[in-house]
Amino acid sequence: GESVGLHLPTLSVQEGDNSIINCAYSNSASDYFIWYKQESGKGPQFIIDIRSNMDKRQGQRVTVLLNKTVKHLSLQIAATQPGDSAVYFCASKRGSARQLTFGSGTQLTVLP
Amino acid sequence: EPEVTQTPSHQVTQMGQEVILRCVPISNHLYFYWYRQILGQKVEFLVSFYNNEISEKSEIFDDQFSVERPDGSNFTLKIRSTKLEDSAMYFCASGANAGSYNEQFFGPGTRLTVL
């Protein structure tokens, strides 16, 4: 079955540094990927998505990289701010299915 | 900015009781979802709903679960006879797009505690 996993459960970065959060997926048929941010007591908040026909997509201070060869994606956050502290999930789906498969989450802590 | 809302924020129930979790999706959205997150674990898909019927469901979504869109605004998840292992955070989500690349907007969740 499809699974999505994260390399590290926690990540601490200094304020102002760049953060990189990684995610591996197992199903090569996955064709759509999303990064979500979850703050304490809140639901997942959409950050950025990428389709499998792309290898890079940029948003405001965030970049997602997709490497289909090794089934890996990453979320890069530039100039990390205290408000970026949260749990970050990758999620994937495949084909016409609408259900998302989530990874286990990485806790990002921004140090002053 | 429109958002998905859920009530109650926290529900405590006794094992074997029925619970109904309520969601108000974003108004022009057509696709509705329920996910759950057991404490410390991944967010797991339960069910998707479109055009007044279930379009996909997971193995978790057994006969004890049901969903309904009773009117034009609400979307509910019912658990008929709760078990201890149903204790989790339940998230409702909605989406607008008919295509395969569908952004899903999540509500704040209902924390269900089964005693």
Side-chain angles (χ1 to χ4, degrees), chain A residues 4 31-32 36 38 42-44 46 51 89 93 95 97-100 102-104, chain B residues 31 33 35 37 42-43 45 56 91 97-104 106-108:
Chain A
V4 181
D31 60 1
Y32 180 60
Y36 283 94
Q38 187 177 26
K42 298 183 179 180
F46 174 90
R51 302 182 186 185
F89 294 95
K93 66 177 292 292
R98 304 198 70 83
Q99 62 175 280
L100 295 175
F102 279 79
S104 54
Chain B
Y31 295 84
Y33 310 86
Y35 290 80
Q37 184 179 28
K42 300 179 184 182
V43 176
F45 170 79
E56 295 168 47
F91 294 107
N97 298 324
S100 295
Y101 307 111
N102 57 317
E103 181 177 339
Q104 297 180 21
F106 282 75

Short mmCIF file of all heavy atoms in Angstrom, two decimals, chain A residues 4 31-32 36 38 42-44 46 51 89 93 95 97-100 102-104, chain B residues 31 33 35 37 42-43 45 56 91 97-104 106-108:
data_model
loop_
_atom_site.label_atom_id
_atom_site.label_comp_id
_atom_site.label_asym_id
_atom_site.label_seq_id
_atom_site.Cartn_x
_atom_site.Cartn_y
_atom_site.Cartn_z
N VAL A 4 3.70 7.24 3.26
CA VAL A 4 4.50 8.45 3.18
C VAL A 4 5.20 8.61 4.49
O VAL A 4 4.56 8.58 5.54
CB VAL A 4 3.60 9.68 2.88
CG1 VAL A 4 4.45 10.92 2.78
CG2 VAL A 4 2.81 9.45 1.61
N ASP A 31 1.05 11.16 -7.61
CA ASP A 31 1.26 12.19 -8.62
C ASP A 31 0.95 13.60 -8.13
O ASP A 31 0.98 14.55 -8.90
CB ASP A 31 0.45 11.89 -9.88
CG ASP A 31 -1.05 11.80 -9.60
OD1 ASP A 31 -1.45 12.00 -8.45
OD2 ASP A 31 -1.80 11.53 -10.55
N TYR A 32 0.63 13.72 -6.86
CA TYR A 32 0.33 15.04 -6.32
C TYR A 32 0.74 15.05 -4.87
O TYR A 32 0.42 14.11 -4.12
CB TYR A 32 -1.17 15.32 -6.46
CG TYR A 32 -1.63 16.66 -5.93
CD1 TYR A 32 -1.13 17.85 -6.43
CD2 TYR A 32 -2.61 16.72 -4.94
CE1 TYR A 32 -1.57 19.07 -5.95
CE2 TYR A 32 -3.06 17.93 -4.46
CZ TYR A 32 -2.55 19.10 -4.96
OH TYR A 32 -2.99 20.31 -4.49
N TYR A 36 1.64 20.46 4.50
CA TYR A 36 0.74 21.12 5.44
C TYR A 36 1.52 21.51 6.68
O TYR A 36 2.46 20.83 7.09
CB TYR A 36 -0.40 20.18 5.87
CG TYR A 36 -1.51 20.00 4.86
CD1 TYR A 36 -1.50 18.95 3.97
CD2 TYR A 36 -2.58 20.89 4.82
CE1 TYR A 36 -2.53 18.78 3.05
CE2 TYR A 36 -3.62 20.72 3.91
CZ TYR A 36 -3.57 19.67 3.03
OH TYR A 36 -4.60 19.50 2.14
N GLN A 38 0.85 22.36 10.76
CA GLN A 38 -0.14 22.21 11.83
C GLN A 38 0.38 22.83 13.11
O GLN A 38 1.35 22.34 13.69
CB GLN A 38 -0.51 20.75 12.05
CG GLN A 38 -1.66 20.57 13.04
CD GLN A 38 -2.07 19.12 13.21
OE1 GLN A 38 -1.29 18.20 13.02
NE2 GLN A 38 -3.33 18.90 13.58
N LYS A 42 -4.74 23.30 16.16
CA LYS A 42 -5.37 23.71 14.91
C LYS A 42 -5.31 22.58 13.89
O LYS A 42 -4.58 21.61 14.05
CB LYS A 42 -4.67 24.95 14.34
CG LYS A 42 -4.77 26.18 15.24
CD LYS A 42 -4.12 27.38 14.56
CE LYS A 42 -4.23 28.61 15.45
NZ LYS A 42 -3.60 29.80 14.80
N GLY A 43 -6.10 22.73 12.84
CA GLY A 43 -6.07 21.76 11.76
C GLY A 43 -4.92 22.01 10.81
O GLY A 43 -4.29 23.08 10.84
N PRO A 44 -4.60 21.05 9.96
CA PRO A 44 -3.55 21.23 8.97
C PRO A 44 -3.85 22.42 8.05
O PRO A 44 -4.97 22.59 7.59
CB PRO A 44 -3.56 19.92 8.19
CG PRO A 44 -4.16 18.92 9.12
CD PRO A 44 -5.18 19.69 9.91
N PHE A 46 -2.73 24.36 4.58
CA PHE A 46 -2.05 24.19 3.29
C PHE A 46 -0.89 25.18 3.17
O PHE A 46 -1.03 26.37 3.46
CB PHE A 46 -3.05 24.41 2.17
CG PHE A 46 -2.46 24.41 0.78
CD1 PHE A 46 -2.36 23.23 0.08
CD2 PHE A 46 -2.01 25.57 0.19
CE1 PHE A 46 -1.82 23.20 -1.19
CE2 PHE A 46 -1.47 25.57 -1.08
CZ PHE A 46 -1.38 24.38 -1.77
N ARG A 51 2.81 19.00 -8.45
CA ARG A 51 2.39 17.85 -9.23
C ARG A 51 3.61 17.08 -9.69
O ARG A 51 4.71 17.62 -9.75
CB ARG A 51 1.57 18.32 -10.43
CG ARG A 51 0.35 19.12 -10.04
CD ARG A 51 -0.47 19.54 -11.26
NE ARG A 51 -1.56 20.44 -10.87
CZ ARG A 51 -2.48 20.87 -11.72
NH1 ARG A 51 -2.47 20.48 -12.97
NH2 ARG A 51 -3.43 21.67 -11.29
N PHE A 89 3.63 18.36 7.81
CA PHE A 89 3.28 17.07 7.23
C PHE A 89 3.40 17.14 5.72
O PHE A 89 2.97 18.11 5.10
CB PHE A 89 1.82 16.70 7.53
CG PHE A 89 1.50 16.46 8.97
CD1 PHE A 89 0.99 17.48 9.75
CD2 PHE A 89 1.67 15.21 9.52
CE1 PHE A 89 0.68 17.25 11.08
CE2 PHE A 89 1.36 14.97 10.84
CZ PHE A 89 0.87 16.00 11.63
N LYS A 93 -1.27 11.94 -2.99
CA LYS A 93 -2.41 11.22 -3.55
C LYS A 93 -2.02 10.71 -4.92
O LYS A 93 -1.00 11.11 -5.48
CB LYS A 93 -3.65 12.10 -3.64
CG LYS A 93 -3.53 13.25 -4.60
CD LYS A 93 -4.84 14.04 -4.68
CE LYS A 93 -5.95 13.25 -5.30
NZ LYS A 93 -5.75 12.98 -6.74
N GLY A 95 -3.57 9.57 -8.88
CA GLY A 95 -4.61 9.46 -9.88
C GLY A 95 -5.87 10.20 -9.50
O GLY A 95 -5.84 11.29 -8.94
N ALA A 97 -8.04 9.26 -7.32
CA ALA A 97 -8.41 9.13 -5.90
C ALA A 97 -8.29 10.48 -5.21
O ALA A 97 -7.39 11.27 -5.52
CB ALA A 97 -7.49 8.12 -5.21
N ARG A 98 -9.18 10.75 -4.29
CA ARG A 98 -9.18 12.05 -3.63
C ARG A 98 -8.57 11.99 -2.23
O ARG A 98 -8.24 13.01 -1.66
CB ARG A 98 -10.60 12.58 -3.56
CG ARG A 98 -11.28 12.66 -4.94
CD ARG A 98 -12.47 13.57 -4.94
NE ARG A 98 -12.11 14.95 -4.79
CZ ARG A 98 -11.71 15.73 -5.79
NH1 ARG A 98 -11.64 15.25 -7.01
NH2 ARG A 98 -11.41 16.99 -5.58
N GLN A 99 -8.41 10.79 -1.69
CA GLN A 99 -7.89 10.71 -0.35
C GLN A 99 -6.41 11.05 -0.31
O GLN A 99 -5.64 10.70 -1.20
CB GLN A 99 -8.10 9.32 0.24
CG GLN A 99 -7.41 8.20 -0.51
CD GLN A 99 -7.60 6.88 0.22
OE1 GLN A 99 -6.91 6.59 1.20
NE2 GLN A 99 -8.54 6.09 -0.23
N LEU A 100 -6.02 11.75 0.73
CA LEU A 100 -4.63 12.09 0.96
C LEU A 100 -4.02 11.10 1.93
O LEU A 100 -4.67 10.70 2.90
CB LEU A 100 -4.51 13.51 1.54
CG LEU A 100 -4.95 14.66 0.65
CD1 LEU A 100 -4.88 15.97 1.42
CD2 LEU A 100 -4.09 14.73 -0.61
N PHE A 102 -1.00 10.87 4.55
CA PHE A 102 -0.13 11.78 5.27
C PHE A 102 1.10 11.06 5.81
O PHE A 102 1.04 9.89 6.18
CB PHE A 102 -0.88 12.38 6.47
CG PHE A 102 -1.76 13.53 6.11
CD1 PHE A 102 -3.01 13.32 5.54
CD2 PHE A 102 -1.36 14.83 6.35
CE1 PHE A 102 -3.83 14.39 5.21
CE2 PHE A 102 -2.17 15.90 6.03
CZ PHE A 102 -3.41 15.69 5.46
N GLY A 103 2.19 11.80 5.91
CA GLY A 103 3.36 11.35 6.64
C GLY A 103 3.17 11.59 8.12
O GLY A 103 2.16 12.13 8.56
N SER A 104 4.17 11.20 8.91
CA SER A 104 4.04 11.23 10.36
C SER A 104 4.37 12.59 10.98
O SER A 104 4.14 12.78 12.15
CB SER A 104 4.90 10.15 11.00
OG SER A 104 6.23 10.26 10.55
N TYR B 31 -16.65 18.98 -2.46
CA TYR B 31 -16.07 17.73 -1.95
C TYR B 31 -15.83 17.87 -0.46
O TYR B 31 -15.30 18.89 -0.01
CB TYR B 31 -14.76 17.42 -2.67
CG TYR B 31 -14.94 17.14 -4.14
CD1 TYR B 31 -15.01 18.19 -5.06
CD2 TYR B 31 -15.05 15.84 -4.61
CE1 TYR B 31 -15.19 17.94 -6.40
CE2 TYR B 31 -15.22 15.58 -5.95
CZ TYR B 31 -15.30 16.64 -6.85
OH TYR B 31 -15.49 16.39 -8.18
N TYR B 33 -14.65 15.83 3.30
CA TYR B 33 -13.81 14.74 3.80
C TYR B 33 -13.84 14.71 5.32
O TYR B 33 -14.00 15.74 5.97
CB TYR B 33 -12.35 14.95 3.37
CG TYR B 33 -12.15 15.23 1.90
CD1 TYR B 33 -12.25 16.53 1.41
CD2 TYR B 33 -11.86 14.21 1.01
CE1 TYR B 33 -12.06 16.80 0.06
CE2 TYR B 33 -11.67 14.47 -0.33
CZ TYR B 33 -11.78 15.77 -0.80
OH TYR B 33 -11.60 16.04 -2.13
N TYR B 35 -11.08 13.14 8.25
CA TYR B 35 -9.83 12.50 8.60
C TYR B 35 -9.78 12.41 10.13
O TYR B 35 -10.48 13.13 10.82
CB TYR B 35 -8.63 13.34 8.13
CG TYR B 35 -8.41 13.40 6.65
CD1 TYR B 35 -9.16 14.26 5.84
CD2 TYR B 35 -7.44 12.62 6.03
CE1 TYR B 35 -8.96 14.33 4.47
CE2 TYR B 35 -7.22 12.68 4.66
CZ TYR B 35 -7.99 13.54 3.89
OH TYR B 35 -7.77 13.60 2.54
N GLN B 37 -6.89 11.84 13.56
CA GLN B 37 -5.50 11.80 14.00
C GLN B 37 -5.48 11.34 15.45
O GLN B 37 -5.84 12.10 16.35
CB GLN B 37 -4.84 13.17 13.85
CG GLN B 37 -3.36 13.18 14.19
CD GLN B 37 -2.75 14.55 14.00
OE1 GLN B 37 -3.42 15.58 14.12
NE2 GLN B 37 -1.46 14.59 13.69
N LYS B 42 -0.15 9.70 12.65
CA LYS B 42 -0.40 10.39 11.39
C LYS B 42 -1.87 10.76 11.26
O LYS B 42 -2.75 10.14 11.87
CB LYS B 42 -0.05 9.47 10.22
CG LYS B 42 1.37 9.01 10.15
CD LYS B 42 1.56 8.08 8.95
CE LYS B 42 2.97 7.53 8.90
NZ LYS B 42 3.16 6.66 7.71
N VAL B 43 -2.12 11.73 10.42
CA VAL B 43 -3.48 12.02 10.00
C VAL B 43 -3.92 10.91 9.04
O VAL B 43 -3.19 10.57 8.10
CB VAL B 43 -3.56 13.39 9.30
CG1 VAL B 43 -4.95 13.65 8.78
CG2 VAL B 43 -3.12 14.50 10.25
N PHE B 45 -7.00 9.17 6.56
CA PHE B 45 -8.21 9.40 5.78
C PHE B 45 -9.32 8.47 6.26
O PHE B 45 -9.08 7.28 6.50
CB PHE B 45 -7.92 9.15 4.30
CG PHE B 45 -9.12 9.12 3.42
CD1 PHE B 45 -9.73 10.29 3.01
CD2 PHE B 45 -9.65 7.92 2.99
CE1 PHE B 45 -10.84 10.26 2.17
CE2 PHE B 45 -10.75 7.87 2.16
CZ PHE B 45 -11.35 9.04 1.75
N GLU B 56 -15.22 7.71 -1.62
CA GLU B 56 -14.12 6.84 -1.19
C GLU B 56 -14.22 6.65 0.32
O GLU B 56 -14.68 7.55 1.02
CB GLU B 56 -12.75 7.45 -1.50
CG GLU B 56 -12.42 7.63 -2.95
CD GLU B 56 -11.19 8.50 -3.14
OE1 GLU B 56 -10.19 8.25 -2.44
OE2 GLU B 56 -11.23 9.42 -3.96
N PHE B 91 -10.82 15.62 11.89
CA PHE B 91 -10.76 16.81 11.05
C PHE B 91 -11.72 16.67 9.87
O PHE B 91 -11.73 15.65 9.19
CB PHE B 91 -9.35 17.02 10.50
CG PHE B 91 -8.33 17.35 11.54
CD1 PHE B 91 -7.38 16.41 11.92
CD2 PHE B 91 -8.30 18.60 12.13
CE1 PHE B 91 -6.42 16.72 12.88
CE2 PHE B 91 -7.36 18.92 13.09
CZ PHE B 91 -6.43 17.97 13.47
N ASN B 97 -12.31 21.77 -6.19
CA ASN B 97 -11.98 21.40 -7.56
C ASN B 97 -12.44 20.01 -7.94
O ASN B 97 -12.34 19.07 -7.17
CB ASN B 97 -10.46 21.50 -7.75
CG ASN B 97 -9.97 22.91 -7.52
OD1 ASN B 97 -10.65 23.86 -7.86
ND2 ASN B 97 -8.80 23.03 -6.93
N ALA B 98 -12.86 19.89 -9.19
CA ALA B 98 -13.29 18.60 -9.69
C ALA B 98 -12.12 17.80 -10.22
O ALA B 98 -12.21 16.61 -10.39
CB ALA B 98 -14.33 18.78 -10.78
N GLY B 99 -10.99 18.45 -10.46
CA GLY B 99 -9.85 17.77 -11.05
C GLY B 99 -9.11 16.90 -10.06
O GLY B 99 -9.44 16.81 -8.89
N SER B 100 -8.07 16.27 -10.54
CA SER B 100 -7.31 15.34 -9.71
C SER B 100 -6.40 16.05 -8.72
O SER B 100 -6.00 15.46 -7.72
CB SER B 100 -6.45 14.43 -10.60
OG SER B 100 -7.27 13.60 -11.38
N TYR B 101 -6.06 17.31 -8.99
CA TYR B 101 -5.14 18.03 -8.11
C TYR B 101 -5.98 18.95 -7.24
O TYR B 101 -6.30 20.07 -7.60
CB TYR B 101 -4.13 18.81 -8.95
CG TYR B 101 -3.44 17.89 -9.94
CD1 TYR B 101 -3.69 18.00 -11.30
CD2 TYR B 101 -2.56 16.91 -9.50
CE1 TYR B 101 -3.06 17.16 -12.18
CE2 TYR B 101 -1.94 16.07 -10.38
CZ TYR B 101 -2.19 16.20 -11.73
OH TYR B 101 -1.57 15.35 -12.62
N ASN B 102 -6.33 18.43 -6.11
CA ASN B 102 -7.34 19.12 -5.32
C ASN B 102 -6.79 19.55 -3.98
O ASN B 102 -6.37 18.75 -3.16
CB ASN B 102 -8.56 18.22 -5.10
CG ASN B 102 -8.20 16.90 -4.44
OD1 ASN B 102 -7.21 16.27 -4.77
ND2 ASN B 102 -8.98 16.52 -3.45
N GLU B 103 -6.79 20.84 -3.78
CA GLU B 103 -6.41 21.38 -2.49
C GLU B 103 -7.54 21.14 -1.51
O GLU B 103 -8.71 21.42 -1.81
CB GLU B 103 -6.12 22.87 -2.63
CG GLU B 103 -5.68 23.53 -1.35
CD GLU B 103 -5.35 25.00 -1.56
OE1 GLU B 103 -5.10 25.40 -2.72
OE2 GLU B 103 -5.38 25.75 -0.57
N GLN B 104 -7.22 20.62 -0.35
CA GLN B 104 -8.21 20.37 0.68
C GLN B 104 -7.95 21.31 1.85
O GLN B 104 -6.83 21.40 2.34
CB GLN B 104 -8.15 18.91 1.14
CG GLN B 104 -8.49 17.93 0.02
CD GLN B 104 -8.44 16.48 0.44
OE1 GLN B 104 -8.52 16.15 1.63
NE2 GLN B 104 -8.30 15.59 -0.53
N PHE B 106 -8.70 22.30 5.68
CA PHE B 106 -9.06 21.59 6.91
C PHE B 106 -9.66 22.52 7.95
O PHE B 106 -9.27 23.68 8.07
CB PHE B 106 -7.81 20.92 7.50
CG PHE B 106 -7.42 19.65 6.80
CD1 PHE B 106 -6.80 19.70 5.56
CD2 PHE B 106 -7.67 18.42 7.37
CE1 PHE B 106 -6.44 18.53 4.89
CE2 PHE B 106 -7.32 17.24 6.73
CZ PHE B 106 -6.70 17.31 5.49
N GLY B 107 -10.57 21.96 8.72
CA GLY B 107 -11.11 22.66 9.88
C GLY B 107 -10.20 22.49 11.08
O GLY B 107 -9.19 21.79 11.01
N PRO B 108 -10.55 23.11 12.20
CA PRO B 108 -9.70 23.07 13.40
C PRO B 108 -9.75 21.75 14.15
O PRO B 108 -8.93 21.50 15.02
CB PRO B 108 -10.24 24.21 14.25
CG PRO B 108 -11.68 24.31 13.85
CD PRO B 108 -11.72 23.97 12.38
#
